[in-house]
Amino acid sequence: MEARKTLSRWYLAIPLCISLSVFVITNFLVYSNGKSFLGDPISTLEALWIIILALLSPCSTLLFLSSNGQDYSTNVYVAVSSAASIFSMFFLYLVLKEISKWSSIETVLLPLAFYWTVCMPAIGVCFVSKAIMYTREE
């Protein structure tokens, strides 16, 4: 409710909330099915997990855009999450191309590892920094 009072575009945060919720549910289902993760053949649930993972960056960009104009650092957060979004869309294209050919997922494990270990932590640092800046303003 507080976001509605301070942010005029609060609704841009809804896609991130939905994608995080679906990601957590999918993550639980993927790991509880007993099959090796990303093993051949890739299940529909694992494909959904990868798609949601790739959509987290664009949804984060929307969240940062919802508070655009609040301060200068928001532009940096939007730039970082936009760069990660470009990479995630490229990664998603590669994954969907490989899955549609029913070939091995091993060809896209390196981009997945880069996205998971570099891009996602960079966005996480932006979220932590945004939270710290928000508490200082109060």
PDB file of all heavy atoms in Angstrom, residues 97-118:
ATOM      1  N   LYS A  97      15.889 -22.561 -28.832  1.00  0.00           N
ATOM      2  CA  LYS A  97      16.336 -23.157 -30.096  1.00  0.00           C
ATOM      3  C   LYS A  97      16.839 -24.576 -29.864  1.00  0.00           C
ATOM      4  O   LYS A  97      16.515 -25.488 -30.622  1.00  0.00           O
ATOM      5  CB  LYS A  97      17.431 -22.289 -30.723  1.00  0.00           C
ATOM      6  CG  LYS A  97      17.834 -22.733 -32.121  1.00  0.00           C
ATOM      7  CD  LYS A  97      18.792 -21.742 -32.735  1.00  0.00           C
ATOM      8  CE  LYS A  97      20.176 -22.085 -32.267  1.00  0.00           C
ATOM      9  NZ  LYS A  97      21.237 -21.381 -32.989  1.00  0.00           N
ATOM     10  N   GLU A  98      17.606 -24.786 -28.802  1.00  0.00           N
ATOM     11  CA  GLU A  98      18.139 -26.116 -28.504  1.00  0.00           C
ATOM     12  C   GLU A  98      17.032 -27.077 -28.060  1.00  0.00           C
ATOM     13  O   GLU A  98      17.029 -28.239 -28.433  1.00  0.00           O
ATOM     14  CB  GLU A  98      19.224 -26.037 -27.427  1.00  0.00           C
ATOM     15  CG  GLU A  98      20.495 -25.357 -27.882  1.00  0.00           C
ATOM     16  CD  GLU A  98      21.156 -26.083 -29.038  1.00  0.00           C
ATOM     17  OE1 GLU A  98      21.233 -27.314 -29.018  1.00  0.00           O
ATOM     18  OE2 GLU A  98      21.592 -25.383 -29.968  1.00  0.00           O
ATOM     19  N   ILE A  99      16.103 -26.574 -27.261  1.00  0.00           N
ATOM     20  CA  ILE A  99      15.015 -27.430 -26.790  1.00  0.00           C
ATOM     21  C   ILE A  99      14.106 -27.831 -27.943  1.00  0.00           C
ATOM     22  O   ILE A  99      13.646 -28.969 -28.011  1.00  0.00           O
ATOM     23  CB  ILE A  99      14.226 -26.730 -25.667  1.00  0.00           C
ATOM     24  CG1 ILE A  99      15.086 -26.642 -24.407  1.00  0.00           C
ATOM     25  CG2 ILE A  99      12.934 -27.469 -25.364  1.00  0.00           C
ATOM     26  CD1 ILE A  99      14.450 -25.849 -23.293  1.00  0.00           C
ATOM     27  N   SER A 100      13.860 -26.900 -28.865  1.00  0.00           N
ATOM     28  CA  SER A 100      12.974 -27.211 -29.985  1.00  0.00           C
ATOM     29  C   SER A 100      13.584 -28.249 -30.919  1.00  0.00           C
ATOM     30  O   SER A 100      12.850 -28.986 -31.582  1.00  0.00           O
ATOM     31  CB  SER A 100      12.627 -25.942 -30.768  1.00  0.00           C
ATOM     32  OG  SER A 100      13.772 -25.437 -31.421  1.00  0.00           O
ATOM     33  N   LYS A 101      14.913 -28.325 -30.970  1.00  0.00           N
ATOM     34  CA  LYS A 101      15.580 -29.342 -31.804  1.00  0.00           C
ATOM     35  C   LYS A 101      15.746 -30.665 -31.062  1.00  0.00           C
ATOM     36  O   LYS A 101      16.242 -31.622 -31.621  1.00  0.00           O
ATOM     37  CB  LYS A 101      16.964 -28.846 -32.241  1.00  0.00           C
ATOM     38  CG  LYS A 101      16.931 -27.682 -33.185  1.00  0.00           C
ATOM     39  CD  LYS A 101      18.284 -27.378 -33.767  1.00  0.00           C
ATOM     40  CE  LYS A 101      19.319 -27.090 -32.731  1.00  0.00           C
ATOM     41  NZ  LYS A 101      20.609 -26.664 -33.268  1.00  0.00           N
ATOM     42  N   TRP A 102      15.334 -30.696 -29.784  1.00  0.00           N
ATOM     43  CA  TRP A 102      15.500 -31.872 -28.929  1.00  0.00           C
ATOM     44  C   TRP A 102      16.953 -32.306 -28.854  1.00  0.00           C
ATOM     45  O   TRP A 102      17.270 -33.477 -28.747  1.00  0.00           O
ATOM     46  CB  TRP A 102      14.625 -33.038 -29.394  1.00  0.00           C
ATOM     47  CG  TRP A 102      13.191 -32.747 -29.235  1.00  0.00           C
ATOM     48  CD1 TRP A 102      12.344 -32.355 -30.212  1.00  0.00           C
ATOM     49  CD2 TRP A 102      12.431 -32.763 -28.032  1.00  0.00           C
ATOM     50  NE1 TRP A 102      11.099 -32.127 -29.699  1.00  0.00           N
ATOM     51  CE2 TRP A 102      11.113 -32.384 -28.362  1.00  0.00           C
ATOM     52  CE3 TRP A 102      12.715 -33.066 -26.711  1.00  0.00           C
ATOM     53  CZ2 TRP A 102      10.113 -32.300 -27.414  1.00  0.00           C
ATOM     54  CZ3 TRP A 102      11.716 -32.979 -25.772  1.00  0.00           C
ATOM     55  CH2 TRP A 102      10.430 -32.597 -26.128  1.00  0.00           C
ATOM     56  N   SER A 103      17.839 -31.332 -28.943  1.00  0.00           N
ATOM     57  CA  SER A 103      19.255 -31.653 -28.795  1.00  0.00           C
ATOM     58  C   SER A 103      19.657 -31.481 -27.335  1.00  0.00           C
ATOM     59  O   SER A 103      18.848 -31.151 -26.486  1.00  0.00           O
ATOM     60  CB  SER A 103      20.100 -30.761 -29.704  1.00  0.00           C
ATOM     61  OG  SER A 103      19.944 -29.416 -29.346  1.00  0.00           O
ATOM     62  N   SER A 104      20.903 -31.680 -27.066  1.00  0.00           N
ATOM     63  CA  SER A 104      21.398 -31.641 -25.693  1.00  0.00           C
ATOM     64  C   SER A 104      21.419 -30.212 -25.165  1.00  0.00           C
ATOM     65  O   SER A 104      21.720 -29.269 -25.889  1.00  0.00           O
ATOM     66  CB  SER A 104      22.799 -32.233 -25.642  1.00  0.00           C
ATOM     67  OG  SER A 104      23.324 -32.114 -24.352  1.00  0.00           O
ATOM     68  N   ILE A 105      21.126 -30.069 -23.904  1.00  0.00           N
ATOM     69  CA  ILE A 105      21.135 -28.768 -23.237  1.00  0.00           C
ATOM     70  C   ILE A 105      22.560 -28.343 -22.896  1.00  0.00           C
ATOM     71  O   ILE A 105      22.802 -27.200 -22.526  1.00  0.00           O
ATOM     72  CB  ILE A 105      20.241 -28.808 -21.983  1.00  0.00           C
ATOM     73  CG1 ILE A 105      19.958 -27.405 -21.428  1.00  0.00           C
ATOM     74  CG2 ILE A 105      20.861 -29.647 -20.898  1.00  0.00           C
ATOM     75  CD1 ILE A 105      19.046 -26.596 -22.243  1.00  0.00           C
ATOM     76  N   GLU A 106      23.512 -29.226 -23.045  1.00  0.00           N
ATOM     77  CA  GLU A 106      24.893 -28.947 -22.661  1.00  0.00           C
ATOM     78  C   GLU A 106      25.481 -27.756 -23.414  1.00  0.00           C
ATOM     79  O   GLU A 106      26.370 -27.094 -22.904  1.00  0.00           O
ATOM     80  CB  GLU A 106      25.764 -30.180 -22.870  1.00  0.00           C
ATOM     81  CG  GLU A 106      25.421 -31.306 -21.925  1.00  0.00           C
ATOM     82  CD  GLU A 106      26.160 -32.586 -22.257  1.00  0.00           C
ATOM     83  OE1 GLU A 106      26.914 -32.618 -23.244  1.00  0.00           O
ATOM     84  OE2 GLU A 106      25.969 -33.551 -21.512  1.00  0.00           O
ATOM     85  N   THR A 107      24.972 -27.459 -24.601  1.00  0.00           N
ATOM     86  CA  THR A 107      25.510 -26.337 -25.369  1.00  0.00           C
ATOM     87  C   THR A 107      25.160 -24.985 -24.764  1.00  0.00           C
ATOM     88  O   THR A 107      25.823 -24.003 -25.048  1.00  0.00           O
ATOM     89  CB  THR A 107      25.004 -26.383 -26.827  1.00  0.00           C
ATOM     90  OG1 THR A 107      23.571 -26.368 -26.811  1.00  0.00           O
ATOM     91  CG2 THR A 107      25.499 -27.612 -27.543  1.00  0.00           C
ATOM     92  N   VAL A 108      24.138 -24.941 -23.933  1.00  0.00           N
ATOM     93  CA  VAL A 108      23.738 -23.666 -23.335  1.00  0.00           C
ATOM     94  C   VAL A 108      24.054 -23.586 -21.844  1.00  0.00           C
ATOM     95  O   VAL A 108      23.645 -22.640 -21.186  1.00  0.00           O
ATOM     96  CB  VAL A 108      22.239 -23.388 -23.579  1.00  0.00           C
ATOM     97  CG1 VAL A 108      21.964 -23.179 -25.039  1.00  0.00           C
ATOM     98  CG2 VAL A 108      21.391 -24.471 -22.991  1.00  0.00           C
ATOM     99  N   LEU A 109      24.776 -24.541 -21.319  1.00  0.00           N
ATOM    100  CA  LEU A 109      25.105 -24.499 -19.893  1.00  0.00           C
ATOM    101  C   LEU A 109      26.087 -23.384 -19.551  1.00  0.00           C
ATOM    102  O   LEU A 109      25.998 -22.791 -18.476  1.00  0.00           O
ATOM    103  CB  LEU A 109      25.651 -25.844 -19.428  1.00  0.00           C
ATOM    104  CG  LEU A 109      24.617 -26.959 -19.298  1.00  0.00           C
ATOM    105  CD1 LEU A 109      25.270 -28.231 -18.803  1.00  0.00           C
ATOM    106  CD2 LEU A 109      23.466 -26.559 -18.395  1.00  0.00           C
ATOM    107  N   LEU A 110      26.996 -23.042 -20.458  1.00  0.00           N
ATOM    108  CA  LEU A 110      27.935 -21.953 -20.192  1.00  0.00           C
ATOM    109  C   LEU A 110      27.214 -20.602 -20.115  1.00  0.00           C
ATOM    110  O   LEU A 110      27.435 -19.847 -19.159  1.00  0.00           O
ATOM    111  CB  LEU A 110      29.051 -21.923 -21.231  1.00  0.00           C
ATOM    112  CG  LEU A 110      30.140 -20.880 -21.008  1.00  0.00           C
ATOM    113  CD1 LEU A 110      30.849 -21.132 -19.687  1.00  0.00           C
ATOM    114  CD2 LEU A 110      31.125 -20.892 -22.154  1.00  0.00           C
ATOM    115  N   PRO A 111      26.325 -20.272 -21.081  1.00  0.00           N
ATOM    116  CA  PRO A 111      25.576 -19.016 -20.907  1.00  0.00           C
ATOM    117  C   PRO A 111      24.696 -19.020 -19.658  1.00  0.00           C
ATOM    118  O   PRO A 111      24.548 -17.992 -19.007  1.00  0.00           O
ATOM    119  CB  PRO A 111      24.720 -18.911 -22.175  1.00  0.00           C
ATOM    120  CG  PRO A 111      25.396 -19.764 -23.174  1.00  0.00           C
ATOM    121  CD  PRO A 111      26.082 -20.844 -22.405  1.00  0.00           C
ATOM    122  N   LEU A 112      24.125 -20.175 -19.324  1.00  0.00           N
ATOM    123  CA  LEU A 112      23.318 -20.275 -18.110  1.00  0.00           C
ATOM    124  C   LEU A 112      24.178 -19.997 -16.880  1.00  0.00           C
ATOM    125  O   LEU A 112      23.771 -19.252 -15.982  1.00  0.00           O
ATOM    126  CB  LEU A 112      22.666 -21.648 -17.995  1.00  0.00           C
ATOM    127  CG  LEU A 112      21.906 -21.940 -16.706  1.00  0.00           C
ATOM    128  CD1 LEU A 112      20.723 -21.002 -16.559  1.00  0.00           C
ATOM    129  CD2 LEU A 112      21.456 -23.380 -16.657  1.00  0.00           C
ATOM    130  N   ALA A 113      25.359 -20.563 -16.840  1.00  0.00           N
ATOM    131  CA  ALA A 113      26.262 -20.342 -15.708  1.00  0.00           C
ATOM    132  C   ALA A 113      26.673 -18.873 -15.610  1.00  0.00           C
ATOM    133  O   ALA A 113      26.724 -18.301 -14.515  1.00  0.00           O
ATOM    134  CB  ALA A 113      27.492 -21.230 -15.838  1.00  0.00           C
ATOM    135  N   PHE A 114      26.956 -18.240 -16.745  1.00  0.00           N
ATOM    136  CA  PHE A 114      27.317 -16.818 -16.746  1.00  0.00           C
ATOM    137  C   PHE A 114      26.154 -15.972 -16.250  1.00  0.00           C
ATOM    138  O   PHE A 114      26.332 -15.072 -15.419  1.00  0.00           O
ATOM    139  CB  PHE A 114      27.736 -16.371 -18.147  1.00  0.00           C
ATOM    140  CG  PHE A 114      28.068 -14.905 -18.223  1.00  0.00           C
ATOM    141  CD1 PHE A 114      29.282 -14.431 -17.771  1.00  0.00           C
ATOM    142  CD2 PHE A 114      27.148 -14.005 -18.741  1.00  0.00           C
ATOM    143  CE1 PHE A 114      29.578 -13.076 -17.826  1.00  0.00           C
ATOM    144  CE2 PHE A 114      27.434 -12.655 -18.802  1.00  0.00           C
ATOM    145  CZ  PHE A 114      28.653 -12.184 -18.348  1.00  0.00           C
ATOM    146  N   TYR A 115      24.971 -16.258 -16.744  1.00  0.00           N
ATOM    147  CA  TYR A 115      23.781 -15.505 -16.339  1.00  0.00           C
ATOM    148  C   TYR A 115      23.517 -15.669 -14.845  1.00  0.00           C
ATOM    149  O   TYR A 115      23.223 -14.705 -14.152  1.00  0.00           O
ATOM    150  CB  TYR A 115      22.582 -15.968 -17.161  1.00  0.00           C
ATOM    151  CG  TYR A 115      21.281 -15.297 -16.816  1.00  0.00           C
ATOM    152  CD1 TYR A 115      21.082 -13.958 -17.101  1.00  0.00           C
ATOM    153  CD2 TYR A 115      20.253 -15.991 -16.197  1.00  0.00           C
ATOM    154  CE1 TYR A 115      19.904 -13.321 -16.787  1.00  0.00           C
ATOM    155  CE2 TYR A 115      19.060 -15.377 -15.880  1.00  0.00           C
ATOM    156  CZ  TYR A 115      18.892 -14.041 -16.177  1.00  0.00           C
ATOM    157  OH  TYR A 115      17.721 -13.418 -15.857  1.00  0.00           O
ATOM    158  N   TRP A 116      23.646 -16.899 -14.368  1.00  0.00           N
ATOM    159  CA  TRP A 116      23.348 -17.205 -12.976  1.00  0.00           C
ATOM    160  C   TRP A 116      24.403 -16.651 -12.026  1.00  0.00           C
ATOM    161  O   TRP A 116      24.089 -16.269 -10.900  1.00  0.00           O
ATOM    162  CB  TRP A 116      23.202 -18.716 -12.816  1.00  0.00           C
ATOM    163  CG  TRP A 116      22.603 -19.126 -11.511  1.00  0.00           C
ATOM    164  CD1 TRP A 116      23.259 -19.685 -10.461  1.00  0.00           C
ATOM    165  CD2 TRP A 116      21.254 -19.001 -11.096  1.00  0.00           C
ATOM    166  NE1 TRP A 116      22.391 -19.923  -9.425  1.00  0.00           N
ATOM    167  CE2 TRP A 116      21.138 -19.511  -9.795  1.00  0.00           C
ATOM    168  CE3 TRP A 116      20.106 -18.506 -11.705  1.00  0.00           C
ATOM    169  CZ2 TRP A 116      19.956 -19.542  -9.088  1.00  0.00           C
ATOM    170  CZ3 TRP A 116      18.926 -18.543 -10.996  1.00  0.00           C
ATOM    171  CH2 TRP A 116      18.857 -19.054  -9.708  1.00  0.00           C
ATOM    172  N   THR A 117      25.678 -16.620 -12.440  1.00  0.00           N
ATOM    173  CA  THR A 117      26.750 -16.216 -11.529  1.00  0.00           C
ATOM    174  C   THR A 117      27.207 -14.772 -11.692  1.00  0.00           C
ATOM    175  O   THR A 117      27.863 -14.242 -10.790  1.00  0.00           O
ATOM    176  CB  THR A 117      27.985 -17.124 -11.677  1.00  0.00           C
ATOM    177  OG1 THR A 117      28.459 -17.050 -13.023  1.00  0.00           O
ATOM    178  CG2 THR A 117      27.652 -18.553 -11.323  1.00  0.00           C
ATOM    179  N   VAL A 118      26.874 -14.119 -12.799  1.00  0.00           N
ATOM    180  CA  VAL A 118      27.311 -12.731 -13.007  1.00  0.00           C
ATOM    181  C   VAL A 118      26.116 -11.773 -13.098  1.00  0.00           C
ATOM    182  O   VAL A 118      26.041 -10.800 -12.356  1.00  0.00           O
ATOM    183  CB  VAL A 118      28.195 -12.613 -14.271  1.00  0.00           C
ATOM    184  CG1 VAL A 118      28.549 -11.169 -14.552  1.00  0.00           C
ATOM    185  CG2 VAL A 118      29.454 -13.447 -14.116  1.00  0.00           C
TER     186      VAL A 118
END
